[in-house]
């Protein structure tokens, strides 16, 4: 097992790097503290076009400059954004009224035509946006007047509003796009709270508050500087030195590393993302083609140990419906989660004995070090499965090999990966329908009954009927054990409380970790 002492030694070694990292900070520009907030961010934007960009790293930049019709609040509830209000006129028709005075950063007013054109662009097969499927069965988008838009659906679709809240449904300046004066693959031109002032590739961004943004929502501090600092130790050192006001992290070790730094508060933000196992139930050479071994796998997993050891106590067991949603209660009583682990292990051992004719069963687990936590999770899984006589060989493959074997050739037993959970519990369930997801067809068997239930859950509004569907879906997913949810994948935020006042939302579904950034202020202001 990955012992606590092993993790402590790793943390100590990473902490020792901080002294060297401080020296690198001399290259950072000195921002004016009175009128700017500086965010230390690990990664540069990967793509500019919100309608086709699928990486959450980029979404964090795009949310600064673009708006969606609606957004999500503290409890992942839908809130107004570019749409000041909306009505559901029928089970298949929604009418949105746009916010008065909304303007793109070139000064032009946002109109209903921009909304219509943007949504039509997302769902246009020629664009091949992956978000088209998540927006559901949109039949028509119509401008009723300059500030009113109606969306008509072919059938009821409960997660429509939540899907419209993702940046992949951003509203673009369609007139400029059609005129060729705006290229969304190269430029950021939205109606959001910030305007790009400068960009130094792989080093920094400078954003200014959008003067046309509603005064009550306009950034309280006029300048936002984003420093690209890929190394965790350098970002920690920047916080300690006060050269950044806030920094974001993924490593679960960061709270321990920040704990001793004066005036630094650490916030662990829950997300709808979680770590998972992809289990090959289709491969001829995969031991997990045997459903008994898949069941043994789910029973023997120690999710609590993964959260406590691999994730340093920052996470806990998660469900097929992410724990961040109240609807996840539908999954809370699943056999692989409840009851005494010793009892589950006894059943797992019996199943393994059947499969292996009394001998341990040997399997290979892909845990690509391209994600730092994957090998740590794999070591805990290796230990917990050994308790059930499943011998795990860990393969730390490069990302390209992991992706090819897991999602193209199907040449693997099982692999550590992670999910994006989005902002409605039914949106993530689509991944258990391989005909919808496509990426998992090489290892996940199709189940017509399950797919039908998932489709019905997407058509059903929140309430007892939908919750009953979720319960049934979770039971089937747990029994099939083709994709197994492990533990939540939180985001970590470090804040210099002596420099800024910042409120971090308790939960987030679309990687907008600093959703409240426009409301941040300098301390004393």
């Amino acid at each position: 097992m990955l012992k606590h002492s092993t993790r402590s030694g790793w943390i100590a070694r990473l902490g020792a790097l901080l002294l060297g990292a401080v020296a690198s900070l001399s290259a950072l520009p000195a921002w004016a503290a009175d009128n700017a907030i500086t965010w230390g961010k690990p990664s540069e934007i990967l793509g500019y076009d919100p309608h086709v960009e699928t990486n959450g790293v980029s979404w964090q930049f795009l949310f600064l400059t673009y708006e969606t019709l609606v957004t999500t609040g503290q409890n992942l509830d839908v809130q107004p954004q570019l749409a000041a209000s909306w009505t559901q006129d029928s089970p298949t028709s929604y009418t949105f009224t746009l916010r008065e005075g909304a303007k793109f950063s070139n000064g032009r007013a946002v109109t209903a035509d921009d909304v219509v054109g943007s949504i039509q662009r997302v769902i246009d097969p020629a664009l091949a946006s992956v978000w088209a499927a998540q927006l559901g069965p949109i039949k028509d988008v119509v401008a009723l007047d300059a500030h009113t838009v109606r969306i008509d659906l072919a059938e009821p679709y409960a997660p429509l509003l939540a899907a419209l809240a993702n940046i992949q449904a951003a509203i673009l300046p369609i007139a400029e796009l059609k005129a060729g004066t705006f290229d969304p693959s190269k430029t950021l031109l939205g109606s959001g709270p910030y305007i790009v002032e400068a960009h130094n590739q792989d080093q920094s961004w400078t954003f200014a508050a959008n003067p046309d943004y509603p005064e009550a929502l306009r950034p309280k501090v006029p300048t936002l500087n984003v420093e690209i600092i890929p190394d965790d130790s350098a970002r920690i050192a920047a916080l300690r030195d006060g050269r950044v006001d806030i920094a974001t992290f993924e490593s679960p070790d960061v709270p321990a590393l920040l704990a001793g730094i004066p005036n630094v508060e650490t916030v662990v933000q829950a997300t709808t993302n979680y770590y998972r196992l992809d289990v090959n139930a289709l491969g001829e050479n995969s031991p997990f083609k045997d459903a008994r071994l898949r069941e043994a796998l789910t029973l023997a997993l120690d999710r609590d140990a993964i959260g406590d050891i691999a994730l340093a106590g920052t996470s806990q067991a998660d469900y097929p419906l992410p724990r961040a949603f109240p609807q996840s209660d539908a999954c809370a009583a699943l056999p692989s989660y409840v009851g005494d682990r010793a009892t589950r292990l006894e059943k797992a051992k019996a199943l393994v004995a059947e499969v292996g004719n009394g001998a341990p069963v040997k399997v290979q687990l892909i845990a690509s070090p391209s994600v730092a936590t994957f090998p740590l999770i794999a070591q805990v899984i290796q230990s917990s499965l050994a308790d059930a006589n499943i011998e795990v060989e860990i393969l730390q493959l490069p990302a390209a090999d992991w992706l090819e074997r897991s999602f193209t050739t199907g040449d693997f037993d099982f692999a550590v990966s992670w999910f994006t959970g989005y902002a409605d519990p039914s949106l993530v369930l689509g991944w258990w329908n391989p005909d919808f997801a496509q990426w998992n067809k090489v290892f996940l068997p199709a189940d017509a009954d399950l797919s039908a239930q998932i489709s019905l859950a997407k058509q059903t509004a929140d309430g007892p009927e939908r919750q009953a569907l979720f319960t049934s879906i979770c039971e089937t997913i747990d029994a099939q054990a083709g994709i197994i949810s492990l533990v939540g994948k939180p985001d970590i935020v470090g804040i210099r409380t002596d420099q800024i006042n910042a409120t971090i939302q308790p939960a987030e579904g679309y990687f907008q970790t600093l959703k409240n950034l426009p409301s941040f202020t300098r301390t004393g202001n």
Side-chain angles (χ1 to χ4, degrees):
M1 174 177 279
L2 179 66
K3 302 293 186 184
H4 285 282
S5 58
T6 304
R7 173 172 286 284
S8 298
W10 182 29
I11 293 174
R13 289 194 298 275
L14 183 57
L17 295 174
L18 293 177
L19 289 176
V22 170
S24 69
L25 294 174
S26 60
L28 297 179
W31 305 112
D34 289 341
N35 65 357
I37 288 176
T38 301
W39 172 11
K41 194 177 184 301
S43 305
E44 175 65 280
I45 195 171
L46 301 175
Y48 284 71
D49 189 336
H51 292 170
V52 296
E53 180 54 40
T54 59
N55 196 296
V57 168
S58 299
W59 294 0
Q60 292 177 331
F61 284 99
L62 298 171
F63 272 117
L64 297 173
T65 55
Y66 287 106
E67 289 189 288
T68 46
L69 278 175
V70 295
T71 186
T72 54
Q74 292 198 52
N75 301 311
L76 301 175
D77 52 318
V78 178
Q79 300 284 333
Q81 192 169 73
L82 190 54
S85 63
W86 62 89
T87 59
Q88 184 173 356
D89 309 311
S90 75
T92 58
S93 184
Y94 295 74
T95 299
F96 299 85
T97 301
L98 303 186
R99 185 181 73 236
E100 289 188 16
K103 293 182 179 180
F104 294 109
S105 57
N106 63 359
R108 182 176 69 78
V110 179
T111 70
D113 289 339
D114 295 302
V115 175
V116 170
S118 294
I119 295 174
Q120 288 178 339
R121 182 174 186 260
V122 175
I123 64 177
D124 184 349
L127 186 68
S129 170
V130 299
W131 205 244
Q134 297 288 25
L135 281 178
I138 293 179
K139 182 172 67 175
D140 202 5
V141 190
V142 181
L144 301 182
D145 58 41
H147 295 93
T148 312
V149 175
R150 190 184 70 237
I151 297 178
D152 294 318
L153 305 173
E155 62 187 27
Y157 187 67
L160 173 67
L161 293 175
L164 288 170
N166 189 12
I167 199 64
Q168 289 193 285
I171 306 307
L172 307 186
I174 294 299
E176 287 81 351
L177 190 151
K178 290 181 177 179
T181 58
F182 163 62
D183 183 347
S185 68
K186 297 179 180 178
T187 306
L188 302 181
L189 177 55
S191 58
Y194 293 97
I195 299 171
V196 177
E197 281 200 338
H199 177 210
N200 191 355
Q201 181 67 31
D202 296 322
Q203 294 188 43
S204 66
W205 290 73
T206 303
F207 294 88
N210 181 354
D212 292 317
Y213 210 61
E215 185 174 358
L217 303 175
R218 196 175 305 156
K220 301 298 186 276
V221 178
T223 301
L224 169 66
N225 301 298
V226 180
E227 289 297 322
I228 309 301
I229 310 174
D231 183 69
D232 276 357
S233 59
R235 241 172 305 126
I236 292 171
L239 272 172
R240 184 175 64 182
D241 193 52
R243 299 299 301 275
V244 301
D245 302 301
I246 193 164
T248 45
F249 304 86
E250 290 190 359
S251 170
D253 294 321
V254 166
L257 292 167
L258 293 178
I261 302 178
N263 301 310
V264 172
E265 176 189 358
T266 303
V267 178
V268 179
Q269 183 186 63
T271 73
T272 59
N273 308 328
Y274 58 75
Y275 294 99
R276 71 176 201 258
L277 285 176
D278 293 334
V279 185
N280 192 351
L282 294 178
E284 289 298 325
N285 298 319
S286 170
F288 290 111
K289 191 173 182 181
D290 191 320
R292 294 172 298 175
L293 191 62
R294 298 200 304 276
E295 182 181 1
L297 167 62
T298 65
L299 293 170
L301 282 171
D302 191 341
R303 292 179 173 89
D304 291 337
I306 294 173
D308 291 341
I309 300 173
L311 276 296
T314 62
S315 186
Q316 56 185 325
D318 216 335
Y319 307 116
L321 288 180
R323 184 185 285 269
F325 295 114
Q327 296 93 331
S328 68
D329 286 350
C331 304
L334 297 177
S336 66
Y337 290 82
V338 300
D340 180 72
R341 183 167 183 262
T343 302
R344 297 201 308 269
L345 274 177
E346 287 305 311
K347 184 175 182 181
K349 287 178 183 178
L351 290 166
V352 172
E354 289 180 17
V355 174
N357 294 318
V361 175
K362 297 182 179 181
V363 296
Q364 292 182 328
L365 174 60
I366 296 176
S368 174
S370 60
V371 178
T373 47
F374 283 2
L376 301 174
I377 292 171
Q379 289 179 55
V380 179
I381 291 173
Q382 182 184 54
S383 177
S384 63
L385 295 190
D387 295 338
N389 297 320
I390 302 175
E391 296 181 1
V392 177
E393 177 189 1
I394 298 173
L395 305 180
Q396 295 197 34
L397 302 181
D401 293 341
W402 155 47
L403 296 173
E404 180 180 8
R405 290 177 63 170
S406 293
F407 307 121
T408 302
T409 66
D411 179 23
F412 76 110
D413 295 342
F414 65 147
V416 182
S417 190
W418 66 278
F419 260 149
T420 301
Y422 306 135
D424 182 272
S426 68
L427 291 176
V428 71
L429 291 178
W431 300 143
W432 276 273
N433 176 357
D435 292 326
F436 173 86
Q438 295 296 316
W439 52 264
N440 52 21
K441 294 191 76 167
V442 298
F443 69 84
L444 185 69
D447 183 322
D449 290 339
L450 176 61
S451 296
Q453 282 195 314
I454 292 170
S455 295
L456 185 57
K458 289 184 176 181
Q459 296 174 29
T460 306
D462 274 333
E465 182 182 352
R466 197 184 203 209
Q467 197 68 5
L469 282 167
F470 285 155
T471 298
S472 177
I473 290 167
C474 285
E475 290 171 349
T476 301
I477 287 172
D478 196 55
Q480 290 182 345
I483 300 174
I484 300 174
S485 52
L486 296 174
V487 296
K489 188 176 184 295
D491 288 330
I492 315 295
V493 183
I495 307 166
R496 282 295 301 240
T497 57
D498 60 331
Q499 296 180 180
I500 63 169
N501 303 302
T503 301
I504 307 300
Q505 288 205 159
E508 171 55 25
Y510 289 130
F511 294 90
Q512 198 178 1
T513 310
L514 304 186
K515 180 168 285 181
N516 296 331
L517 203 157
S519 71
F520 295 179
T521 59
R522 304 292 311 179
T523 55
N525 291 354

